[in-house]
Amino acid sequence: MSNNASKIESNISQSMLTELDSVFIQTFGAAPVRHFQAPGRVNLIGEHTDYNDGFVLPCAIDYQTLVAVTPRDDMTVSVVAVDYSNEQDEFSLDCDIEVHSTQMWSNYVRGVIKHLQRRGHIFKGANLAITGNVPQGAGLSSSASLEVVIGETFRGLYNLLLTKAEVALNGQEAENQFVGCQCGIMDQMVSACGSKFNALLLDCRSLQTELISMPENLAVMIINSNVKRGLVDSEYNTRRLQCEEAAHTLGLKALRDISLIELQNSKIKLPDVVYRRAHHVVSDSERTVLAAKALRNNDVTQLSQLMAKSHISMRDDFEITVPPIDFAVKILTEYLGDKGGVRMTGGGFGGCLVALMPHDMVDGAKLLMAERYEVETGYKETIYICSASDGAGEI
Ligand code: GLA
């Protein structure tokens, strides 16, 4: 373990690192020489806007995927996954890397490495052990953090000429083309480029980023509804196709290229469901830019309203929320009033809510959820208080 491990500002405990190293030693017979991390993310606002070239406002969180690694002299990559009962995978860089038929986690590793090769990067093999504490299947981008940490590891190990944004793009390519989910660029970009104490306003067309300082008076609460979601199997790809249909029918490159007023004036040209999908995307992208401004000015009232409207838009127009999440958003909205904001975050069909609130309202929010959520929905929530964190790097 590198001796500056104490620099990790996160929920990564020393025991996680110790276990990672001990599995590495058991598997490969010697201690790893380097460690890398990439965080999960929470999106404050701007949902399903990324693949429409719009704006998003996520922050990286202090839950990460970790890799312990030693380079090899041959062309073999050998991996062990601590969180999957130490399952292993091994493949050669000399052959065409193929999809693993049973171990889904391996495909993120294989896909990222294959796409690095496709980009023309030349490197040798490595022994890797992977662990993490990003909740899986909760919409906090555990997959993106795995893609980014693998990219970052090979970049660091072999001095590959890649920018952070290219590490992100490579991860997205792997997920789109190797794993088969047509996700946008938000999750990988914020996992690669996130910054401590800041949210990231990302223009998903130009990939330009602007750091927006998180107001110190607001806590970032993530509430896992524990309604399980599966992005690949979900309706994600259908939503994407509907957005493309809207853009195509309106003669646009992407929904980014129309304002809300223009869209409203074109309503008649689109089938109702396609119009509502486009209405969500265009309005949420506009709200994102306004929310970044509100965050910058610490205008919590405005932020609160924008987050509430974003949730309603996801519920009624994009139809990606589920009743337990709508219930939690309703009771928290009533509780927070204009002192904070709450909405579903991530791809939808389960997963998490994000809430911003004054620190002294955190205990009350927890109590409210404990008293009402499970009784009403049959699910038990899990709550995380997060800090905006740095993107991927060496530990
Ligand atoms: C998932 C995808 C992202 C984005 C969100 C919805 O997290 O990976 O690209 O589309 O859903 O905003």
Side-chain angles (χ1 to χ4, degrees), residues 11 24 42 53 57 82 88-89 100 102 111 132-133 137 192 207 217 223 258 278 304 318 320 334 339 358 373:
N11 291 314
F24 190 99
V42 66
D53 284 0
L57 186 62
V82 176
Q88 293 187 34
D89 186 23
H100 194 294
T102 52
N133 61 1
L207 295 192
N217 55 324
I223 301 148
I258 193 165
S304 165
F318 220 61
I320 53 171
E334 284 162 10
K339 296 199 178 64
Y373 180 68

Side-chain angles (χ1 to χ4, degrees), residues 78-148:
S78 190
V79 201
V80 55
V82 176
D83 305 322
Y84 288 86
S85 315
N86 297 344
E87 271 178 4
Q88 293 187 34
D89 186 23
E90 193 165 281
F91 53 92
S92 166
L93 295 172
D94 283 332
C95 308
D96 188 30
I97 300 173
E98 289 180 356
V99 170
H100 194 294
S101 57
T102 52
Q103 286 176 185
M104 196 53 198
W105 66 264
S106 310
N107 285 327
Y108 294 98
V109 180
R110 287 173 171 236
V112 167
I113 293 174
K114 179 175 181 139
H115 279 267
L116 285 174
Q117 287 184 319
R118 276 215 180 153
R119 286 172 170 258
H121 296 289
I122 298 182
F123 47 89
K124 288 190 175 174
N127 290 334
L128 303 115
I130 307 171
T131 190
N133 61 1
V134 185
Q136 294 192 15
L140 299 177
S141 297
S142 55
S143 323
S145 71
L146 175 54
E147 290 152 14
V148 170

Side-chain angles (χ1 to χ4, degrees), residues 41 43 46-48 50-51 141 183-187 231 236 346-347:
R41 64 99 186 91
N43 188 20
E47 224 63 81
H48 288 258
D50 59 352
Y51 56 79
S141 297
C183 66
I185 189 61
M186 166 172 71
D187 306 345
L231 198 59
Y236 188 93

Side-chain angles (χ1 to χ4, degrees), residues 211-271:
L211 296 179
I212 315 274
S213 169
M214 292 293 288
E216 272 179 33
N217 55 324
L218 294 180
V220 182
M221 182 185 276
I222 296 176
I223 301 148
N224 189 347
S225 69
N226 283 315
V227 179
K228 284 279 171 239
R229 53 188 294 277
L231 198 59
V232 183
D233 299 329
S234 77
E235 306 227 7
Y236 188 93
N237 293 353
T238 315
R239 293 297 182 282
R240 187 166 181 153
L241 288 174
Q242 289 166 330
C243 292
E244 281 166 9
E245 183 186 335
H248 180 75
T249 308
L250 298 173
L252 308 168
K253 181 162 180 282
L255 287 175
R256 160 66 174 269
D257 299 310
I258 193 165
S259 70
L260 192 55
I261 308 266
E262 287 165 344
L263 178 68
Q264 283 160 348
N265 291 337
S266 306
K267 184 169 186 207
I268 193 147
K269 296 185 188 154
L270 299 172

